[in-house]
Amino acid sequence: MLNFELYNPTNYVFGKGQTEKLSKLVPANAKILLAYGGGSIFKNGVHEAVVAALKDFKIIEFGGIEPNPRFETLLKAVEIVKNENITFILAVGGGSVIDGVKFISGATHYEGNPIDILKKKVLFTDLSKVIPFGTVLTLPATGSEMNSGAVVTIEATQEKLAIGGSALFPKFSICDPTVVSSLPKRQIQNGIIDAYTHVMEQYLTYPTDALLQDRIAEGILQTLVEIGPSVVENPSDYKLASNFMWSATMALNGLIQKGVPSDWATHMIGHELTALYEIDHARTLAIIAPNLYRVMFETKKDKLAQYGERIFHVTGNSVDEKANQAIEKTVEFFHKMGMKTKLSENTNDYQKTADFIVNRFDERGWKALGEKQNITLEKVKEIVEMSY
């Protein structure tokens, strides 16, 4: 097992009716920026519940944060925070809204050009230099409600880039599984696959004798396989919705990442597909992941075989045989969850994608990806072309 430090200060408030606790969770006398996305919170009653709980606070609202939040939009919120002397931000939404609020939190007091936060991947570690924030989660998927990472899109250059740092953990996150009942099927499908791939990025590397981390990761994967198709069809079932929400959080709150190597190349490639073609984030992961496993088979086959045996109960006479079955079973699960796993099924304009992504990575100096830094630009090209 590798050395590690585990730090997660987020107060995770889970269950039915927990929005009522907002007034005690937000600092007294706070002036709040209430940030949200496209307006679904007005239809499902979440906005009404939040405003009622915060009736004694001064609130300024900022809506319109996009799926894959835009740098350009978030800068408008930064100006409001500065001009109105906002002291606390409340993100009400899914991962995109929460990620956007993390950027707003860090950018408000940032002294340089705010685009450098993304271009130079600034890490925020000084709590005195960020605006504190909390979240009310409305879409389980990204785990952003209990981690310090965020991904923001620069529309002008079609780039999707990550930021983070220990100062960007939410102070609290209210997670009420009943919100799942109002979600469209596509968003639930995406949430399951996003959470699933988050686990795979931290689990499907190579053995490091981290027995507990493996079992926790496998427990999340088994839960998502078990409930995934059912929660899409029965989103009002509290058992299914609550296990979905908690699994999505556990997939990326830092716990299963400790003491083990991580990959994240699937996400790095997938982000480019979203930036280029506006393909849903989870669907880009379903396109890239199986082919990354195929191209990097020799590096990953021991863990693939273990994964296949423990999650899908595959059998075989060799590690290679079980590992190959594991990849096929993964693709079957993705299809069962409504994913189209070829790029050509998601966009018509794909022929030059591999060259474009390789050039982008080359410009950024991203020439050695993956848990062993052995995913070269040549391999990136092979993975993307295999995904056509």
Side-chain angles (χ1 to χ4, degrees):
M1 198 185 306
L2 308 178
N3 293 358
F4 68 88
E5 294 182 19
L6 177 58
Y7 172 76
N8 193 320
T10 300
N11 180 11
Y12 190 81
V13 186
F14 182 91
K16 294 178 184 176
Q18 297 284 36
T19 305
E20 296 169 6
K21 295 181 178 175
L22 261 177
S23 62
K24 294 182 175 65
L25 293 167
V26 173
N29 303 314
K31 188 174 184 183
I32 303 168
L33 182 76
L34 176 59
Y36 49 86
S40 63
I41 64 168
F42 291 95
K43 299 172 189 168
N44 60 16
V46 172
H47 180 271
E48 184 182 356
V50 167
V51 171
L54 296 174
K55 64 182 186 299
D56 296 326
F57 290 82
K58 171 72 173 169
I59 298 173
I60 293 174
E61 299 194 15
F62 182 83
I65 296 176
E66 306 89 346
N68 307 301
R70 300 301 195 268
F71 167 76
E72 294 83 353
T73 300
L74 301 176
L75 285 184
K76 297 174 185 174
V78 170
E79 286 308 304
I80 293 172
V81 172
K82 289 178 179 178
N83 295 335
E84 297 289 342
N85 296 313
I86 297 294
T87 62
F88 194 85
I89 310 172
L90 186 65
V92 183
S96 291
V97 172
I98 299 170
D99 281 12
V101 163
K102 288 175 183 176
F103 178 86
I104 298 164
S105 167
T108 298
H109 295 312
Y110 184 72
E111 292 176 354
N113 185 338
I115 204 164
D116 288 342
I117 295 171
L118 300 170
K119 295 281 193 178
K120 297 179 180 178
K121 203 172 181 179
V122 170
L123 288 177
F124 292 91
T125 56
D126 186 345
L127 286 167
S128 69
K129 298 281 181 67
V130 303
I131 305 294
F133 66 95
T135 87
V136 176
L137 183 67
T138 63
L139 170 59
T142 70
S144 193
E145 66 277 4
M146 201 179 178
N147 67 44
S148 60
V151 183
V152 172
T153 297
I154 305 171
E155 189 147 32
T157 54
Q158 289 187 300
E159 291 179 277
K160 188 173 174 180
L161 300 170
I163 62 166
S166 58
L168 292 185
F169 280 98
K171 296 296 183 187
F172 63 82
S173 285
I174 291 176
C175 301
D176 182 343
T178 60
V179 299
V180 173
S181 64
S182 66
L183 296 175
K185 282 187 179 182
R186 185 183 182 93
Q187 287 190 328
I188 299 174
Q189 291 170 332
N190 288 350
I192 293 284
I193 298 305
D194 198 9
Y196 197 91
T197 315
H198 285 161
V199 178
M200 295 289 270
E201 294 275 34
Q202 301 162 90
Y203 166 81
L204 200 70
T205 55
Y206 56 87
T208 50
D209 300 323
L211 306 183
L212 181 59
Q213 288 91 322
D214 276 4
R215 292 293 189 185
I216 296 171
E218 289 157 2
I220 300 168
L221 295 173
Q222 287 169 322
T223 303
L224 292 170
V225 168
E226 180 180 337
I227 67 168
S230 301
V231 75
V232 172
E233 298 304 323
N234 304 290
S236 298
D237 185 312
Y238 190 77
K239 171 189 168 183
L240 298 173
S242 57
N243 280 283
F244 167 32
M245 184 171 271
W246 182 221
S247 293
T249 299
M250 282 292 292
L252 201 58
N253 66 1
L255 183 62
I256 63 170
Q257 187 181 19
K258 301 307 172 187
V260 300
S262 294
D263 184 347
W264 296 110
T266 294
H267 271 71
M268 294 169 86
I269 299 169
H271 286 162
E272 299 303 314
L273 299 183
T274 298
L276 284 170
Y277 306 120
E278 291 284 333
I279 302 169
D280 297 356
H281 170 62
R283 289 165 195 267
T284 70
L285 304 179
I287 292 165
I288 295 298
N291 295 309
L292 186 140
Y293 306 153
R294 291 176 179 123
V295 171
M296 303 309 297
F297 187 82
E298 289 303 315
T299 297
K300 293 182 178 288
K301 66 181 181 182
D302 289 331
K303 215 59 187 288
L304 273 166
Q306 175 183 314
Y307 158 71
E309 287 176 316
R310 294 185 182 179
I311 307 304
F312 297 112
H313 311 294
V314 305
T315 56
N317 297 319
S318 68
V319 167
D320 284 32
E321 186 181 348
K322 287 182 278 192
N324 276 310
Q325 284 185 65
I327 297 172
E328 297 315 310
K329 289 287 186 183
T330 304
V331 174
E332 285 176 23
F333 174 61
F334 288 173
H335 288 163
K336 198 173 184 180
M337 290 306 303
M339 300 293 116
K340 295 175 180 176
T341 52
K342 288 184 169 62
L343 185 56
S344 56
E345 295 173 311
N346 292 272
T347 180
N348 295 321
D349 184 27
Y350 61 87
Q351 286 86 355
K352 296 178 182 176
T353 307
D355 289 332
F356 184 87
I357 292 175
V358 166
N359 289 337
R360 269 272 168 91
F361 284 9
D362 193 25
E363 289 167 7
R364 294 180 195 144
W366 296 0
K367 299 180 182 181
L369 309 181
E371 66 272 16
K372 289 190 173 179
Q373 300 289 284
N374 61 348
I375 302 180
T376 60
L377 294 178
E378 290 76 22
K379 287 204 161 60
V380 169
K381 184 176 169 65
E382 186 180 350
I383 290 162
V384 177
E385 288 181 341
M386 194 181 284
S387 304
Y388 288 174

